[in-house]
Amino acid sequence: MNTENTKAQMRKGILEFCILSLINNREMYVSDLIDELKKGKLDVVEGTLYPLLTRLKNGEFLSYRWEESTGGPPRKYYQITDKGKLFLDELQNTWNELTASVNQITQQN
């Protein structure tokens, strides 16, 4: 079995949660998100991030605003919506339950 594939699938499964958590702290531009995810050892490319951000926006979990840039094209800054905050709370509860369950199972030695 390929452990890299399994690890990639695990990271993909929590990416929405991580993105919403980061944007909940402050509005963010895509490169800011990528930098913060890399700091957390989650290497994500724009090609993965943009479709996810679009899906979250279409679900009304995120909104965005345009800001002019001094060094290039305008930038799209994402912020979490009230609906997104409720969804994030649900994800946080699910994460807490999941990690507690996994820890209980894996630490039974």
Side-chain angles (χ1 to χ4, degrees):
M1 180 172 266
N2 183 347
T3 58
E4 287 306 311
N5 184 47
T6 302
K7 290 192 296 189
Q9 291 301 317
M10 291 170 79
R11 285 190 294 265
K12 268 187 197 176
I14 60 166
L15 197 51
E16 272 186 11
F17 177 43
C18 292
I19 288 168
L20 288 171
S21 294
L22 287 169
I23 295 174
N24 189 49
N25 294 327
R26 65 180 171 93
E27 65 178 19
M28 300 186 93
Y29 177 58
V30 170
S31 65
D32 297 332
L33 277 169
I34 290 171
D35 290 345
E36 290 299 319
L37 290 167
K38 283 183 181 178
K39 285 180 191 175
K41 308 273 192 266
L42 290 175
D43 287 333
V44 178
V45 295
E46 288 182 15
T48 300
L49 198 53
Y50 278 113
L52 182 53
L53 289 169
T54 299
R55 190 167 70 246
L56 290 169
K57 186 196 86 54
N58 290 343
E60 299 177 347
F61 301 118
L62 294 177
S63 61
Y64 63 84
R65 67 175 180 81
W66 288 99
E67 185 173 300
E68 291 298 321
S69 171
T70 57
R75 294 180 172 187
K76 191 184 286 186
Y77 282 86
Y78 290 89
Q79 56 266 140
I80 195 165
T81 63
D82 289 340
K83 184 177 178 180
K85 288 179 183 186
L86 291 173
F87 184 52
L88 178 58
D89 286 343
E90 290 177 29
L91 292 177
Q92 182 66 61
N93 290 334
T94 301
W95 176 254
N96 292 343
E97 291 170 3
L98 181 62
T99 56
S101 297
V102 170
N103 287 337
Q104 180 182 349
I105 291 166
T106 59
Q107 295 174 5
Q108 290 184 0
N109 295 327

